[in-house]
């Protein structure tokens, strides 16, 4: 296993002067949590919250816009009351505040991503890639010193020969076969090119493990199934990251305590057998050809949102070390066991088969006494029905 690079900023205690930080995607999810956290940080003077709607964070300066709009460069350069920013209550800032609140942004945290399983893939890619490209270009044009992006540890790829755990500088061997991974790989490429294209701009990328806490992904839906699908011959390992830990790691990056490419996750990992014991959900083991073939057909027919590539992340290890953050003094507040318990609470009452979430009526029919067997038969019936419809 290759040795991890040291955390370049680990020796610093924090920035010398209070920061002005802009957060995209600030109205919901991780962006909303980070905005609230930064507002409470002594090292942060101002927080610009950028989104298509105004969120709940009191004290932030809200700007509503499409993150793909190149006009964001001017906003980052001369942000503040002089541009008519809105406080949480929607009131215009008073003239007397202009001199103290206007000025350039020091750090941009880009969290405006569409990772919704139900989104149109082409539109989702256009939004994600164009948004990251616009933010990086605008930040450089505005003289912003640092941009922080968030992708996923999925970019390392899930492969049977992966080191356990993976070092941050491990090769990114993922392909675009899984949900949103193609978008994340392109964002990673943009992040690596940006400092070369724009000298003076520093780009930090955080890569969380399976993210839990108000999230809906193919990997969280795995735990909504009546049985945990296990592909015969595979040996998955599970590592989670609670959104609260991701937010605290993002704050570390904002405060310049660490930089570069950073993996974020709980200590260690759980074997599949441990997961089954902790969840109380029994496994359904299928041969690789059956599992992968069925997943591909269901997705091709539009019956499930998850492509067959998502299965790799339930088959092979992609555990990360997180050594850079550890060397900088960061520690996760959640264990894998605690995050898994939180996930089970969140998905209670939901029913998913092959990545397709079922309504209450469908669940009562599909997930009855016969459990996974009926689910598999029902899935085959859906395939046959779709084929007949296409022929007609």
């Amino acid at each position: 296993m290759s040795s991890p690079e040291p955390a370049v900023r680990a020796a610093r205690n924090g920035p010398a002067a209070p920061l002005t930080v802009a957060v995209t995607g600030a109205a919901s999810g991780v962006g909303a949590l980070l905005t609230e956290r930064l507002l409470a940080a002594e090292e942060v003077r101002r927080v610009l919250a950028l989104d298509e709607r105004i969120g709940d964070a009191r004290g932030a300066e809200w700007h509503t816009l499409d993150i793909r709009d190149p006009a964001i460069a001017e906003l980052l350069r001369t942000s503040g009351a002089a541009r008519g920013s809105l406080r949480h209550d929607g009131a215009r800032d008073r003239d007397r505040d202009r001199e103290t609140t206007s000025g350039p942004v020091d750090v941009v945290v880009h969290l405006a991503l569409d990772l919704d399983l139900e989104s149109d893939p082409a539109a989702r890619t256009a939004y994600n890639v164009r948004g990251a490209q616009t933010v990086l270009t605008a930040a450089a044009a505005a003289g912003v010193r640092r941009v922080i992006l968030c992708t996923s540890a999925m970019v390392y790829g899930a492969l049977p020969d992966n080191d356990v755990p993976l070092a941050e500088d491990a090769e990114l061997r993922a392909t675009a076969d899984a949900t949103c991974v193609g978008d994340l790989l392109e964002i990673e490429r943009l992040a690596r090119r940006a400092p070369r294209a724009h000298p003076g701009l520093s780009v930090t990328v955080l890569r969380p493990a399976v993210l839990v806490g108000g999230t809906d992904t193919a990997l969280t839906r795995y735990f909504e199934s009546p049985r945990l699908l296990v592909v015969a011959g595979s040996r998955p390992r599970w590592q989670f990251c609670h959104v609260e830990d991701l937010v605290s790691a993002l704050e570390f990056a904002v405060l310049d305590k660490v930089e570069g490419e950073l993996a974020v996750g709980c200590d260690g990992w759980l074997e599949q057998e441990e997961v089954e014991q902790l969840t109380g959900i029994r496994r359904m083991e299928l041969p690789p050809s059956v599992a992968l073939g069925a997943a591909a057909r269901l997705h091709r027919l539009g019956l499930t949102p998850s492509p067959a590539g998502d299965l790799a992340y339930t088959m092979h290890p992609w555990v990360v070390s997180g050594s850079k953050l550890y060397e900088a003094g960061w520690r996760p507040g959640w264990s894998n066991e605690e995050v898994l318990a939180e996930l089970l609470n969140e998905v209670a009452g939901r029913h998913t088969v092959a990545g397709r979430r079922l309504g209450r009526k469908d669940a009562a029919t599909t997930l009855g006494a016969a459990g996974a067997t009926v689910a598999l038969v029902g899935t085959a019936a859906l395939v046959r029905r779709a084929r007949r419809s296409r022929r007609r």
Side-chain angles (χ1 to χ4, degrees), residues 115-119 124 179 216-229 284 286 291 294-299 302-311 314 350-359 366-367 375-376 379 382:
L115 302 179
D116 191 335
L117 286 172
E118 310 298 338
S119 294
R124 182 174 59 206
T179 305
D216 176 26
T217 68
L219 294 168
T220 60
R221 287 192 183 189
Y222 178 81
F223 295 93
E224 299 177 14
S225 299
R227 296 287 186 269
L228 297 179
L229 174 62
M284 177 175 66
L286 295 176
R297 287 193 298 273
L298 289 170
H299 184 67
L303 298 175
T304 63
S306 299
D310 286 345
L311 273 181
T314 70
R350 299 177 189 168
H351 304 287
T352 294
V353 172
R356 176 175 178 262
R357 186 169 287 161
L358 305 176
T366 307
L367 307 179
L376 202 57
T379 300
L382 287 173

Short mmCIF file of all heavy atoms in Angstrom, two decimals, residues 115-119 124 179 216-229 284 286 291 294-299 302-311 314 350-359 366-367 375-376 379 382:
data_model
loop_
_atom_site.label_atom_id
_atom_site.label_comp_id
_atom_site.label_asym_id
_atom_site.label_seq_id
_atom_site.Cartn_x
_atom_site.Cartn_y
_atom_site.Cartn_z
N LEU A 115 -27.34 15.09 -6.76
CA LEU A 115 -27.03 13.66 -6.67
C LEU A 115 -28.30 12.83 -6.52
O LEU A 115 -28.26 11.70 -6.06
CB LEU A 115 -26.09 13.42 -5.48
CG LEU A 115 -24.76 14.20 -5.51
CD1 LEU A 115 -23.94 13.90 -4.27
CD2 LEU A 115 -23.96 13.88 -6.77
N ASP A 116 -29.43 13.40 -6.93
CA ASP A 116 -30.72 12.74 -6.81
C ASP A 116 -30.80 11.56 -7.78
O ASP A 116 -30.57 11.71 -8.98
CB ASP A 116 -31.83 13.74 -7.10
CG ASP A 116 -33.22 13.23 -6.74
OD1 ASP A 116 -33.41 11.99 -6.71
OD2 ASP A 116 -34.11 14.05 -6.49
N LEU A 117 -31.14 10.40 -7.24
CA LEU A 117 -31.25 9.20 -8.08
C LEU A 117 -32.29 9.34 -9.17
O LEU A 117 -32.20 8.72 -10.23
CB LEU A 117 -31.60 7.99 -7.21
CG LEU A 117 -30.50 7.40 -6.33
CD1 LEU A 117 -31.08 6.35 -5.40
CD2 LEU A 117 -29.40 6.80 -7.18
N GLU A 118 -33.32 10.15 -8.92
CA GLU A 118 -34.43 10.26 -9.85
C GLU A 118 -34.22 11.36 -10.89
O GLU A 118 -35.05 11.54 -11.78
CB GLU A 118 -35.74 10.54 -9.09
CG GLU A 118 -36.01 9.61 -7.92
CD GLU A 118 -36.15 8.14 -8.33
OE1 GLU A 118 -36.45 7.89 -9.51
OE2 GLU A 118 -35.96 7.26 -7.47
N SER A 119 -33.14 12.12 -10.80
CA SER A 119 -32.89 13.20 -11.77
C SER A 119 -32.57 12.63 -13.14
O SER A 119 -32.02 11.53 -13.27
CB SER A 119 -31.72 14.08 -11.30
OG SER A 119 -32.04 14.78 -10.13
N ARG A 124 -28.56 16.22 -14.96
CA ARG A 124 -27.79 16.17 -13.71
C ARG A 124 -26.30 16.40 -13.99
O ARG A 124 -25.64 17.18 -13.31
CB ARG A 124 -28.00 14.82 -13.03
CG ARG A 124 -27.29 14.66 -11.70
CD ARG A 124 -27.71 13.34 -11.06
NE ARG A 124 -27.40 12.20 -11.90
CZ ARG A 124 -28.05 11.04 -11.87
NH1 ARG A 124 -29.05 10.87 -11.03
NH2 ARG A 124 -27.70 10.05 -12.66
N THR A 179 -23.99 5.44 -10.45
CA THR A 179 -24.74 6.68 -10.38
C THR A 179 -23.85 7.85 -9.95
O THR A 179 -23.21 7.79 -8.90
CB THR A 179 -25.90 6.54 -9.39
OG1 THR A 179 -26.71 5.42 -9.76
CG2 THR A 179 -26.77 7.79 -9.38
N ASP A 216 -30.17 10.19 0.37
CA ASP A 216 -30.87 9.12 -0.34
C ASP A 216 -30.01 8.74 -1.54
O ASP A 216 -29.96 9.45 -2.54
CB ASP A 216 -32.25 9.58 -0.80
CG ASP A 216 -32.97 8.53 -1.64
OD1 ASP A 216 -32.67 7.32 -1.46
OD2 ASP A 216 -33.84 8.90 -2.46
N THR A 217 -29.29 7.64 -1.43
CA THR A 217 -28.40 7.18 -2.49
C THR A 217 -28.65 5.70 -2.74
O THR A 217 -29.37 5.03 -2.00
CB THR A 217 -26.92 7.38 -2.09
OG1 THR A 217 -26.61 6.49 -1.00
CG2 THR A 217 -26.65 8.82 -1.65
N ALA A 218 -28.02 5.20 -3.80
CA ALA A 218 -28.13 3.77 -4.08
C ALA A 218 -27.60 2.95 -2.92
O ALA A 218 -28.11 1.86 -2.63
CB ALA A 218 -27.38 3.44 -5.36
N LEU A 219 -26.60 3.47 -2.21
CA LEU A 219 -26.00 2.72 -1.11
C LEU A 219 -26.83 2.79 0.16
O LEU A 219 -26.86 1.83 0.93
CB LEU A 219 -24.58 3.23 -0.86
CG LEU A 219 -23.62 2.97 -2.02
CD1 LEU A 219 -22.33 3.74 -1.85
CD2 LEU A 219 -23.34 1.48 -2.17
N THR A 220 -27.52 3.90 0.41
CA THR A 220 -28.43 3.92 1.57
C THR A 220 -29.68 3.09 1.28
O THR A 220 -30.24 2.47 2.18
CB THR A 220 -28.82 5.35 1.95
OG1 THR A 220 -29.47 6.00 0.86
CG2 THR A 220 -27.59 6.16 2.37
N ARG A 221 -30.11 3.07 0.02
CA ARG A 221 -31.28 2.25 -0.33
C ARG A 221 -31.00 0.75 -0.21
O ARG A 221 -31.94 -0.04 -0.10
CB ARG A 221 -31.74 2.58 -1.77
CG ARG A 221 -32.42 3.92 -1.89
CD ARG A 221 -33.12 4.09 -3.23
NE ARG A 221 -33.70 5.41 -3.35
CZ ARG A 221 -34.52 5.78 -4.35
NH1 ARG A 221 -34.83 4.90 -5.30
NH2 ARG A 221 -35.00 7.00 -4.39
N TYR A 222 -29.73 0.39 -0.26
CA TYR A 222 -29.36 -1.02 -0.07
C TYR A 222 -29.94 -1.55 1.23
O TYR A 222 -30.30 -2.73 1.32
CB TYR A 222 -27.84 -1.11 -0.08
CG TYR A 222 -27.25 -2.49 0.15
CD1 TYR A 222 -27.17 -3.42 -0.89
CD2 TYR A 222 -26.77 -2.85 1.40
CE1 TYR A 222 -26.61 -4.67 -0.68
CE2 TYR A 222 -26.21 -4.11 1.62
CZ TYR A 222 -26.14 -5.01 0.57
OH TYR A 222 -25.60 -6.25 0.79
N PHE A 223 -30.04 -0.70 2.23
CA PHE A 223 -30.51 -1.12 3.55
C PHE A 223 -32.03 -0.97 3.70
O PHE A 223 -32.56 -1.18 4.78
CB PHE A 223 -29.78 -0.32 4.64
CG PHE A 223 -28.31 -0.62 4.67
CD1 PHE A 223 -27.41 0.15 3.96
CD2 PHE A 223 -27.83 -1.71 5.39
CE1 PHE A 223 -26.06 -0.13 3.97
CE2 PHE A 223 -26.47 -2.01 5.40
CZ PHE A 223 -25.58 -1.22 4.68
N GLU A 224 -32.72 -0.63 2.61
CA GLU A 224 -34.17 -0.59 2.61
C GLU A 224 -34.77 -1.89 2.07
O GLU A 224 -35.99 -2.05 2.03
CB GLU A 224 -34.67 0.59 1.77
CG GLU A 224 -34.24 1.95 2.29
CD GLU A 224 -34.69 3.08 1.38
OE1 GLU A 224 -35.56 2.84 0.52
OE2 GLU A 224 -34.20 4.21 1.54
N SER A 225 -33.91 -2.80 1.63
CA SER A 225 -34.38 -4.04 1.01
C SER A 225 -34.76 -5.08 2.06
O SER A 225 -34.24 -5.06 3.18
CB SER A 225 -33.29 -4.62 0.10
OG SER A 225 -32.96 -3.71 -0.93
N PRO A 226 -35.66 -6.01 1.70
CA PRO A 226 -36.04 -7.06 2.65
C PRO A 226 -34.91 -8.04 2.93
O PRO A 226 -34.87 -8.68 3.97
CB PRO A 226 -37.21 -7.77 1.96
CG PRO A 226 -36.98 -7.51 0.50
CD PRO A 226 -36.38 -6.14 0.41
N ARG A 227 -33.98 -8.16 1.99
CA ARG A 227 -32.78 -8.97 2.16
C ARG A 227 -31.58 -8.17 1.64
O ARG A 227 -31.73 -7.37 0.71
CB ARG A 227 -32.87 -10.29 1.37
CG ARG A 227 -33.97 -11.23 1.84
CD ARG A 227 -33.62 -11.88 3.16
NE ARG A 227 -34.62 -12.87 3.53
CZ ARG A 227 -35.69 -12.63 4.26
NH1 ARG A 227 -35.94 -11.40 4.69
NH2 ARG A 227 -36.54 -13.59 4.56
N LEU A 228 -30.43 -8.36 2.23
CA LEU A 228 -29.23 -7.71 1.75
C LEU A 228 -28.62 -8.54 0.63
O LEU A 228 -28.19 -9.68 0.84
CB LEU A 228 -28.21 -7.54 2.89
CG LEU A 228 -28.66 -6.66 4.06
CD1 LEU A 228 -27.58 -6.62 5.12
CD2 LEU A 228 -29.01 -5.26 3.59
N LEU A 229 -28.64 -7.99 -0.58
CA LEU A 229 -28.11 -8.71 -1.72
C LEU A 229 -26.60 -8.87 -1.59
O LEU A 229 -25.87 -7.89 -1.40
CB LEU A 229 -28.43 -7.96 -3.01
CG LEU A 229 -27.80 -8.52 -4.28
CD1 LEU A 229 -28.30 -9.93 -4.57
CD2 LEU A 229 -28.07 -7.60 -5.48
N MET A 284 -29.39 -12.33 0.77
CA MET A 284 -29.85 -13.11 -0.38
C MET A 284 -28.66 -13.18 -1.33
O MET A 284 -28.25 -12.16 -1.89
CB MET A 284 -31.04 -12.45 -1.06
CG MET A 284 -31.51 -13.21 -2.31
SD MET A 284 -33.02 -12.51 -3.03
CE MET A 284 -32.40 -10.92 -3.58
N LEU A 286 -26.65 -14.24 -4.67
CA LEU A 286 -26.90 -14.55 -6.07
C LEU A 286 -25.58 -14.66 -6.82
O LEU A 286 -24.61 -13.99 -6.47
CB LEU A 286 -27.74 -13.44 -6.73
CG LEU A 286 -29.17 -13.24 -6.23
CD1 LEU A 286 -29.79 -12.03 -6.93
CD2 LEU A 286 -30.00 -14.48 -6.49
N ALA A 291 -27.03 -11.45 -10.75
CA ALA A 291 -27.18 -10.15 -10.09
C ALA A 291 -26.87 -9.00 -11.05
O ALA A 291 -27.66 -8.06 -11.19
CB ALA A 291 -26.27 -10.08 -8.87
N ALA A 294 -29.41 -8.92 -14.14
CA ALA A 294 -30.73 -8.40 -13.79
C ALA A 294 -30.68 -6.90 -13.55
O ALA A 294 -31.56 -6.15 -14.00
CB ALA A 294 -31.25 -9.11 -12.54
N ALA A 295 -29.64 -6.44 -12.86
CA ALA A 295 -29.51 -5.01 -12.59
C ALA A 295 -29.39 -4.21 -13.89
O ALA A 295 -30.00 -3.14 -14.04
CB ALA A 295 -28.31 -4.75 -11.69
N ALA A 296 -28.61 -4.72 -14.83
CA ALA A 296 -28.44 -4.03 -16.11
C ALA A 296 -29.74 -3.97 -16.89
O ALA A 296 -30.11 -2.93 -17.46
CB ALA A 296 -27.35 -4.71 -16.93
N ARG A 297 -30.48 -5.09 -16.93
CA ARG A 297 -31.74 -5.11 -17.68
C ARG A 297 -32.78 -4.19 -17.06
O ARG A 297 -33.48 -3.45 -17.76
CB ARG A 297 -32.28 -6.55 -17.75
CG ARG A 297 -31.50 -7.45 -18.69
CD ARG A 297 -32.25 -8.74 -18.96
NE ARG A 297 -32.45 -9.52 -17.74
CZ ARG A 297 -31.57 -10.39 -17.26
NH1 ARG A 297 -30.41 -10.58 -17.89
NH2 ARG A 297 -31.83 -11.09 -16.17
N LEU A 298 -32.90 -4.22 -15.73
CA LEU A 298 -33.88 -3.38 -15.05
C LEU A 298 -33.60 -1.90 -15.30
O LEU A 298 -34.52 -1.10 -15.54
CB LEU A 298 -33.88 -3.67 -13.55
CG LEU A 298 -34.47 -5.02 -13.13
CD1 LEU A 298 -34.17 -5.28 -11.65
CD2 LEU A 298 -35.96 -5.06 -13.38
N HIS A 299 -32.34 -1.53 -15.26
CA HIS A 299 -32.00 -0.12 -15.48
C HIS A 299 -32.21 0.27 -16.94
O HIS A 299 -32.71 1.36 -17.23
CB HIS A 299 -30.55 0.13 -15.08
CG HIS A 299 -30.16 1.57 -15.19
ND1 HIS A 299 -30.69 2.55 -14.38
CD2 HIS A 299 -29.27 2.20 -16.03
CE1 HIS A 299 -30.16 3.73 -14.71
NE2 HIS A 299 -29.31 3.53 -15.70
N GLY A 302 -35.64 1.12 -17.65
CA GLY A 302 -36.15 2.26 -16.91
C GLY A 302 -36.93 1.89 -15.68
O GLY A 302 -37.67 2.72 -15.13
N LEU A 303 -36.78 0.66 -15.19
CA LEU A 303 -37.54 0.21 -14.03
C LEU A 303 -36.84 0.52 -12.72
O LEU A 303 -37.47 0.51 -11.66
CB LEU A 303 -37.80 -1.30 -14.13
CG LEU A 303 -38.64 -1.74 -15.34
CD1 LEU A 303 -38.72 -3.25 -15.41
CD2 LEU A 303 -40.03 -1.13 -15.25
N THR A 304 -35.54 0.77 -12.75
CA THR A 304 -34.81 1.13 -11.53
C THR A 304 -33.89 2.30 -11.83
O THR A 304 -33.40 2.44 -12.96
CB THR A 304 -33.95 -0.04 -11.01
OG1 THR A 304 -32.96 -0.37 -11.99
CG2 THR A 304 -34.80 -1.26 -10.72
N PRO A 305 -33.63 3.17 -10.85
CA PRO A 305 -32.75 4.31 -11.08
C PRO A 305 -31.27 3.97 -11.03
O PRO A 305 -30.44 4.76 -11.47
CB PRO A 305 -33.11 5.25 -9.92
CG PRO A 305 -33.54 4.33 -8.81
CD PRO A 305 -34.22 3.18 -9.50
N SER A 306 -30.93 2.80 -10.51
CA SER A 306 -29.52 2.46 -10.28
C SER A 306 -28.98 1.60 -11.40
O SER A 306 -29.51 0.52 -11.69
CB SER A 306 -29.37 1.70 -8.96
OG SER A 306 -29.79 2.50 -7.88
N PRO A 307 -27.90 2.03 -12.06
CA PRO A 307 -27.25 1.18 -13.07
C PRO A 307 -26.52 0.02 -12.41
O PRO A 307 -26.30 0.00 -11.20
CB PRO A 307 -26.27 2.13 -13.75
CG PRO A 307 -25.98 3.16 -12.72
CD PRO A 307 -27.23 3.32 -11.92
N ALA A 308 -26.14 -0.96 -13.22
CA ALA A 308 -25.47 -2.14 -12.69
C ALA A 308 -24.15 -1.79 -12.01
O ALA A 308 -23.71 -2.49 -11.09
CB ALA A 308 -25.24 -3.15 -13.82
N GLY A 309 -23.53 -0.69 -12.42
CA GLY A 309 -22.27 -0.28 -11.82
C GLY A 309 -22.35 0.00 -10.34
O GLY A 309 -21.34 -0.09 -9.62
N ASP A 310 -23.54 0.33 -9.83
CA ASP A 310 -23.69 0.58 -8.40
C ASP A 310 -23.41 -0.67 -7.57
O ASP A 310 -23.01 -0.58 -6.41
CB ASP A 310 -25.11 1.07 -8.09
CG ASP A 310 -25.33 2.51 -8.53
OD1 ASP A 310 -24.34 3.21 -8.79
OD2 ASP A 310 -26.50 2.94 -8.62
N LEU A 311 -23.64 -1.85 -8.17
CA LEU A 311 -23.45 -3.10 -7.43
C LEU A 311 -22.00 -3.30 -7.00
O LEU A 311 -21.74 -3.93 -5.98
CB LEU A 311 -23.90 -4.30 -8.27
CG LEU A 311 -25.37 -4.70 -8.20
CD1 LEU A 311 -25.61 -5.92 -9.08
CD2 LEU A 311 -25.79 -4.99 -6.77
N THR A 314 -21.13 -2.56 -3.50
CA THR A 314 -21.62 -3.49 -2.48
C THR A 314 -20.90 -4.84 -2.58
O THR A 314 -21.20 -5.75 -1.81
CB THR A 314 -23.14 -3.72 -2.62
OG1 THR A 314 -23.41 -4.46 -3.81
CG2 THR A 314 -23.88 -2.40 -2.66
N ARG A 350 -39.43 2.22 4.82
CA ARG A 350 -39.24 2.30 3.38
C ARG A 350 -38.95 0.92 2.82
O ARG A 350 -38.34 0.09 3.50
CB ARG A 350 -38.08 3.25 3.03
CG ARG A 350 -38.28 4.68 3.50
CD ARG A 350 -37.05 5.51 3.18
NE ARG A 350 -37.12 6.83 3.80
CZ ARG A 350 -36.10 7.67 3.89
NH1 ARG A 350 -34.91 7.30 3.42
NH2 ARG A 350 -36.25 8.85 4.47
N HIS A 351 -39.35 0.70 1.59
CA HIS A 351 -39.17 -0.63 0.98
C HIS A 351 -38.61 -0.46 -0.41
O HIS A 351 -39.19 0.22 -1.25
CB HIS A 351 -40.50 -1.39 0.94
CG HIS A 351 -41.15 -1.52 2.28
ND1 HIS A 351 -40.68 -2.37 3.25
CD2 HIS A 351 -42.21 -0.88 2.81
CE1 HIS A 351 -41.44 -2.27 4.33
NE2 HIS A 351 -42.38 -1.37 4.09
N THR A 352 -37.49 -1.09 -0.66
CA THR A 352 -36.80 -0.97 -1.95
C THR A 352 -36.43 -2.36 -2.46
O THR A 352 -35.98 -3.21 -1.69
CB THR A 352 -35.52 -0.12 -1.82
OG1 THR A 352 -35.91 1.22 -1.50
CG2 THR A 352 -34.73 -0.10 -3.11
N VAL A 353 -36.63 -2.57 -3.74
CA VAL A 353 -36.21 -3.80 -4.40
C VAL A 353 -35.38 -3.41 -5.62
O VAL A 353 -35.84 -2.63 -6.46
CB VAL A 353 -37.41 -4.67 -4.82
CG1 VAL A 353 -36.93 -5.84 -5.68
CG2 VAL A 353 -38.14 -5.19 -3.60
N ALA A 354 -34.16 -3.91 -5.68
CA ALA A 354 -33.25 -3.63 -6.81
C ALA A 354 -33.09 -2.14 -7.03
O ALA A 354 -33.00 -1.67 -8.17
CB ALA A 354 -33.76 -4.31 -8.08
N GLY A 355 -33.07 -1.36 -5.95
CA GLY A 355 -32.88 0.08 -6.06
C GLY A 355 -34.14 0.86 -6.34
O GLY A 355 -34.15 2.09 -6.33
N ARG A 356 -35.26 0.16 -6.60
CA ARG A 356 -36.54 0.81 -6.90
C ARG A 356 -37.37 0.88 -5.64
O ARG A 356 -37.72 -0.14 -5.05
CB ARG A 356 -37.29 0.03 -7.99
CG ARG A 356 -38.68 0.58 -8.31
CD ARG A 356 -39.28 -0.19 -9.48
NE ARG A 356 -40.62 0.25 -9.80
CZ ARG A 356 -41.73 -0.35 -9.39
NH1 ARG A 356 -41.64 -1.43 -8.62
NH2 ARG A 356 -42.91 0.11 -9.73
N ARG A 357 -37.66 2.11 -5.20
CA ARG A 357 -38.45 2.29 -3.99
C ARG A 357 -39.93 2.02 -4.29
O ARG A 357 -40.47 2.52 -5.28
CB ARG A 357 -38.27 3.71 -3.43
CG ARG A 357 -38.95 3.92 -2.09
CD ARG A 357 -38.51 5.22 -1.47
NE ARG A 357 -37.15 5.14 -0.97
CZ ARG A 357 -36.39 6.21 -0.72
NH1 ARG A 357 -36.85 7.41 -0.96
NH2 ARG A 357 -35.18 6.05 -0.24
N LEU A 358 -40.54 1.23 -3.44
CA LEU A 358 -41.93 0.83 -3.64
C LEU A 358 -42.86 1.66 -2.76
O LEU A 358 -42.51 2.05 -1.65
CB LEU A 358 -42.12 -0.65 -3.28
CG LEU A 358 -41.20 -1.64 -4.01
CD1 LEU A 358 -41.45 -3.04 -3.48
CD2 LEU A 358 -41.41 -1.58 -5.51
N GLY A 359 -44.06 1.92 -3.30
CA GLY A 359 -45.10 2.54 -2.50
C GLY A 359 -45.66 1.56 -1.50
O GLY A 359 -45.35 0.36 -1.51
N THR A 366 -45.38 -7.05 -2.67
CA THR A 366 -44.08 -7.60 -3.04
C THR A 366 -43.31 -8.16 -1.87
O THR A 366 -42.58 -9.14 -2.00
CB THR A 366 -43.24 -6.51 -3.73
OG1 THR A 366 -44.01 -5.96 -4.80
CG2 THR A 366 -41.95 -7.07 -4.27
N LEU A 367 -43.45 -7.56 -0.70
CA LEU A 367 -42.62 -7.92 0.43
C LEU A 367 -43.39 -8.67 1.51
O LEU A 367 -43.21 -8.45 2.69
CB LEU A 367 -41.97 -6.66 1.03
CG LEU A 367 -41.23 -5.78 0.02
CD1 LEU A 367 -40.67 -4.56 0.71
CD2 LEU A 367 -40.13 -6.55 -0.66
N ALA A 375 -39.96 -10.95 -4.11
CA ALA A 375 -39.39 -9.74 -4.70
C ALA A 375 -38.68 -10.06 -6.00
O ALA A 375 -38.80 -9.33 -6.98
CB ALA A 375 -38.42 -9.10 -3.71
N LEU A 376 -37.92 -11.16 -6.02
CA LEU A 376 -37.19 -11.53 -7.22
C LEU A 376 -38.14 -11.92 -8.34
O LEU A 376 -37.99 -11.52 -9.49
CB LEU A 376 -36.24 -12.69 -6.90
CG LEU A 376 -35.05 -12.88 -7.82
CD1 LEU A 376 -34.20 -11.62 -7.87
CD2 LEU A 376 -34.21 -14.05 -7.36
N THR A 379 -39.73 -8.81 -9.70
CA THR A 379 -38.82 -8.08 -10.56
C THR A 379 -38.79 -8.70 -11.95
O THR A 379 -38.82 -7.99 -12.96
CB THR A 379 -37.41 -8.09 -9.96
OG1 THR A 379 -37.44 -7.45 -8.68
CG2 THR A 379 -36.42 -7.35 -10.85
N LEU A 382 -41.82 -7.66 -13.85
CA LEU A 382 -41.71 -6.28 -14.35
C LEU A 382 -40.92 -6.24 -15.66
O LEU A 382 -41.28 -5.51 -16.59
CB LEU A 382 -41.04 -5.40 -13.31
CG LEU A 382 -41.86 -5.03 -12.07
CD1 LEU A 382 -40.97 -4.31 -11.06
CD2 LEU A 382 -43.04 -4.16 -12.44
#
